[in-house]
Amino acid sequence: MKEIRINDIQIEQRDADTQEDMILVGYPILFDTPTTIGKGDNAYTEVIQRGALDGVDFNDTRLIYNHDMNKIPLARTGKTMELYVDEVGLRMRATLPSTEEARSVYTAVQRGDLENMSFAFTVSDDGHIYDAGTRTRSIHKIDKVFEVSIVPYPAYKETVVSVEARSMIEDVHSKLDSTERKDLKIQLNKLLLKGDR
């Protein structure tokens, strides 16, 4: 069964004197982040474990708006979007086309009206464990990521980070070596996630 989850999105900051490509970056999937799925009696906690994306094929994954498969994609892996796994989760960097819809999405993210990402995925029967006592679903193996989307409403509410906060992180991040970047990113994500709870 195809499932959908939501996280944050941001604008990539560019130098003022460079050509202004419309570039979005974000994490459609975060590891080890407990999240409440559903409401009321049907609610449960879900955690996507580190390693759940090992071996997943991201060839021909599309970036779309609000899971609408009837619209022209905003970006596509192997062409205009990169997806890669790091210690935080699945990171996305996409260059949007010069279309009216893409400009509208980009502007809405830039203004802070849109700040979330989502992803559609499948998990096999042996790819997750459900603990009925704690009502917790732990996903340790995702089979397929069909698409990633920019969306107006998050499922992972505690992971929403403002565009401004992420932009400051990226600015500092670009001036550090790889080890310093890795350590800083982990520390800042923990701090920002803690502050949103």
Side-chain angles (χ1 to χ4, degrees):
M1 179 175 72
K2 186 189 281 189
E3 303 180 52
I4 294 172
R5 299 294 180 267
I6 300 172
N7 286 309
D8 64 300
I9 183 79
Q10 68 182 22
I11 300 285
E12 180 177 87
Q13 298 300 301
R14 313 279 292 182
D15 293 334
D17 58 350
T18 63
Q19 180 181 357
E20 183 158 344
D21 290 331
M22 294 186 294
I23 298 174
L24 298 180
V25 294
Y27 281 93
I29 301 174
L30 296 177
F31 294 139
D32 302 324
T33 304
T35 302
T36 301
I37 303 296
K39 295 180 180 177
D41 293 339
N42 294 323
Y44 62 93
T45 299
E46 180 177 88
V47 179
I48 298 176
Q49 298 177 344
R50 195 174 312 278
L53 294 171
D54 292 353
V56 174
D57 181 5
F58 294 111
N59 286 334
D60 206 26
T61 302
R62 313 293 170 101
L63 173 66
I64 57 179
Y65 177 71
N66 208 24
H67 302 289
D68 188 347
M69 300 295 282
N70 296 313
K71 297 278 183 79
I72 295 172
L74 298 171
R76 177 181 175 187
T77 54
K79 307 284 183 185
T80 52
M81 179 172 66
E82 298 170 345
L83 292 175
Y84 50 95
V85 178
D86 65 16
E87 70 281 354
V88 176
L90 180 65
R91 183 170 171 81
M92 178 220 69
R93 182 180 187 275
T95 303
L96 304 188
S98 183
T99 64
E100 185 176 339
E101 182 177 16
R103 283 190 294 275
S104 295
V105 168
Y106 183 83
T107 300
V109 173
Q110 194 172 39
R111 288 167 29 121
D113 298 333
L114 288 173
E115 56 183 11
N116 303 111
M117 292 200 72
S118 178
F119 65 106
F121 67 109
T122 57
V123 177
S124 62
D125 290 341
D126 60 353
H128 65 110
I129 298 169
Y130 183 74
D131 182 329
T134 61
R135 297 176 66 99
T136 300
R137 181 188 189 207
S138 297
I139 298 174
H140 56 268
K141 181 66 177 115
I142 290 175
D143 287 334
K144 174 76 177 162
V145 175
F146 292 94
E147 44 91 355
V148 295
S149 282
I150 299 164
V151 295
Y153 299 104
Y156 280 60
K157 292 185 176 103
E158 66 273 16
T159 64
V160 177
V161 179
S162 72
V163 172
E164 292 78 17
R166 283 290 189 182
S167 297
M168 288 186 293
I169 291 168
E170 291 296 321
D171 184 51
V172 172
H173 188 266
S174 66
K175 297 173 182 162
L176 303 172
D177 69 38
S178 63
T179 303
E180 290 172 321
R181 280 196 302 262
K182 190 179 199 181
D183 291 342
L184 180 62
K185 184 182 265 185
I186 292 168
Q187 291 171 18
L188 286 173
N189 273 302
K190 285 179 181 175
L191 180 64
L192 289 169
L193 293 174
K194 190 183 216 180
D196 280 55
R197 289 184 179 159

